[in-house]
Amino acid sequence: MSTERHDDKRRRSAANGTLELERFLPYQLNVLAEQVSRSLSKIYGERYGISIPEWRVIATLGQYGRMTAKEIGLHSRMHKTKVSRAVASLQADGRLERKANSDDKREALLRLTRQGRLIYDALAPDALAFAGELTSVLSQADSEALGRIIDQLRERSEDLALGLDRSG
Amino acid sequence: MSTERHDDKRRRSAANGTLELERFLPYQLNVLAEQVSRSLSKIYGERYGISIPEWRVIATLGQYGRMTAKEIGLHSRMHKTKVSRAVASLQADGRLERKANSDDKREALLRLTRQGRLIYDALAPDALAFAGELTSVLSQADSEALGRIIDQLRERSEDLALGLDRSG
DNA sequence: TGACATTAGTTGCGAGTGTAACTATTTCTT
DNA sequence: AAGAAATAGTTACACTCGCAACTAATGTCA
């Protein structure tokens, strides 16, 4: 099924040259992220009744206090429609409140209500514990490498996407 | 510690860990996987006109030749409805063909058509090149660590999900 | 000032997804 | 052998998402 000519190997990046899905990094990353999200969603959803976008909004406001929807989106890397819907849902549930900005009436300043703050205070330790249990299987060296690797890959991928845009 | 007040939420020690979204592994993994998928989708979609699930089916059949939908799902870690829809779409486009299995009429044996094989042969090198360009920013040591880290994290996450199921 | 461009945020819409229910077939149990 | 359980695969449904279009407000510039 696969070509076995020696001069092909040089041009292929995987160790043995053929495309194996389970060794293909984009696939591996996707499977891992999905798996981790599913596990974590059990805490988000079943224990606190919120979605992942809502969780990101809560985590961002919990960390920074008062922000606009745009700032939340930038900080948590979410599309503005995702932020808009998560904010609307949290507000409907009384976990977040908007305050008009008199200096610029296009935007609204958002912050957690007392109820939203309670959720954040309860959820944050659980989330940190989950992350801790996740990384506890890694060696000290691997654990330190991981943060660096993730940042490098994300930046590289962004650059590649730009390159593909220009040529495609 | 000596001046800590009971309501001082911003001064948790680094050891306990303040929850910072951009340092939270599940978030980082999700952002990275999304970014990589978006980049790679430019090759899948714009250059060859197929979706990610379709790409996974093509890659699996390209590697193994003839399989059932269930086997494809197991190998590529896709839900059976995702496989079903991707297979139906590929078949409609003449890129895949089904053959009834006379030994078990519930299942069908699937394989790429000549046209599907052409896509695989063209796409696989591009995909490998993309992965190569992605990992080229990593040091040799980090690159080797990455595969190991991903496998360990995925297994750990699966175990944690089971634990959460039982307790939650 | 007045016309045009830009920005924050919302919403309609189409595409994709997982759950649950369903069909058709095979296997198990007695 | 007959009914029950299990299995491969499909489909209806509800939900999520991003794009594009939209509203409302602000900024730009002649």
Side-chain angles (χ1 to χ4, degrees):
Chain A
M1 292 298 155
S2 58
T3 51
E4 290 175 354
R5 292 180 18 235
H6 293 287
D7 54 354
D8 271 352
K9 289 182 181 175
R10 222 182 106 265
R11 302 165 58 200
R12 297 188 175 184
S13 52
N16 80 4
T18 56
L19 176 63
E20 294 172 63
L21 203 52
E22 57 272 74
R23 299 266 167 244
F24 184 55
L25 184 59
Y27 167 78
Q28 291 177 310
L29 288 173
N30 224 62
V31 168
L32 175 59
E34 268 182 25
Q35 175 60 51
V36 170
S37 281
R38 232 191 322 274
S39 299
L40 192 55
S41 284
K42 290 188 191 303
I43 299 178
Y44 292 158
E46 295 173 11
R47 209 176 292 177
Y48 298 94
I50 59 175
S51 68
I52 288 183
E54 287 171 3
W55 149 248
R56 287 195 188 175
V57 170
I58 287 180
T60 304
L61 288 178
Q63 184 179 350
Y64 291 99
R66 183 168 294 185
M67 293 180 97
T68 67
K70 165 151 208 184
E71 289 168 333
I72 293 175
L74 284 174
H75 181 260
S76 61
R77 291 177 186 264
M78 285 197 291
H79 193 274
K80 62 179 180 176
T81 62
K82 223 175 189 173
V83 176
S84 174
R85 284 157 180 153
V87 164
S89 170
L90 288 170
Q91 187 184 20
D93 293 341
R95 291 161 175 167
L96 172 156
E97 60 187 9
R98 318 166 101 100
K99 194 176 175 183
N101 178 8
S102 53
D103 287 346
D104 186 340
K105 289 173 190 164
R106 290 172 302 182
E107 64 187 24
L109 295 172
L110 308 171
R111 68 168 185 181
L112 296 180
T113 60
R114 216 170 64 76
Q115 192 190 341
R117 166 66 57 182
L118 285 175
I119 291 180
Y120 174 74
D121 287 342
L123 224 169
D126 283 351
L128 285 170
F130 176 82
E133 289 178 23
L134 205 55
T135 51
S136 68
V137 290
L138 302 180
S139 72
Q140 182 66 25
D142 282 357
S143 194
E144 284 166 11
L146 183 54
R148 180 175 61 245
I149 291 172
I150 286 176
D151 286 342
Q152 289 175 335
L153 286 179
R154 200 198 54 242
E155 284 175 23
R156 179 62 168 159
S157 182
E158 286 167 358
D159 291 346
L160 288 176
L162 291 178
L164 289 166
D165 266 340
R166 274 192 235 96
S167 65
Chain B
M1 176 177 346
S2 56
T3 61
E4 187 175 3
R5 301 193 333 236
H6 77 283
D7 59 348
D8 192 350
K9 295 147 197 149
R10 292 185 211 161
R11 287 267 174 204
R12 288 183 224 171
S13 77
N16 289 342
T18 306
L19 179 61
E20 294 172 62
L21 203 53
E22 56 273 78
R23 300 263 170 247
F24 185 55
L25 183 58
Y27 167 78
Q28 290 176 312
L29 288 173
N30 223 62
V31 168
L32 175 59
E34 266 182 26
Q35 176 59 51
V36 169
S37 281
R38 229 189 328 272
S39 299
L40 192 55
S41 284
K42 290 188 190 303
I43 299 177
Y44 292 159
E46 294 173 10
R47 210 176 293 179
Y48 298 94
I50 59 175
S51 68
I52 288 183
E54 287 171 2
W55 150 248
R56 287 196 189 175
V57 170
I58 287 180
T60 304
L61 288 177
Q63 185 179 350
Y64 291 99
R66 184 168 293 184
M67 292 181 99
T68 67
K70 167 154 206 183
E71 289 169 332
I72 292 174
L74 283 174
H75 181 260
S76 61
R77 291 177 186 263
M78 284 196 292
H79 193 273
K80 62 179 180 176
T81 61
K82 221 175 190 174
V83 176
S84 175
R85 285 159 178 149
V87 164
S89 170
L90 288 169
Q91 187 185 19
D93 293 342
R95 290 160 176 170
L96 171 157
E97 60 187 8
R98 319 165 99 100
K99 194 175 174 183
N101 177 9
S102 52
D103 287 346
D104 186 341
K105 288 171 189 165
R106 287 173 304 184
E107 65 187 25
L109 295 172
L110 309 171
R111 67 169 187 181
L112 297 179
T113 60
R114 215 170 67 73
Q115 192 192 338
R117 164 69 54 185
L118 285 175
I119 290 179
Y120 174 74
D121 288 341
L123 225 169
D126 283 350
L128 286 169
F130 175 81
E133 287 178 26
L134 206 54
T135 51
S136 70
V137 289
L138 302 180
S139 71
Q140 181 66 25
D142 282 357
S143 194
E144 284 166 10
L146 183 55
R148 178 175 63 245
I149 291 171
I150 286 176
D151 286 343
Q152 288 175 336
L153 287 179
R154 202 198 53 243
E155 284 174 23
R156 179 62 169 159
S157 182
E158 286 167 359
D159 292 346
L160 287 175
L162 292 177
L164 288 168
D165 267 338
R166 273 191 234 96
S167 67

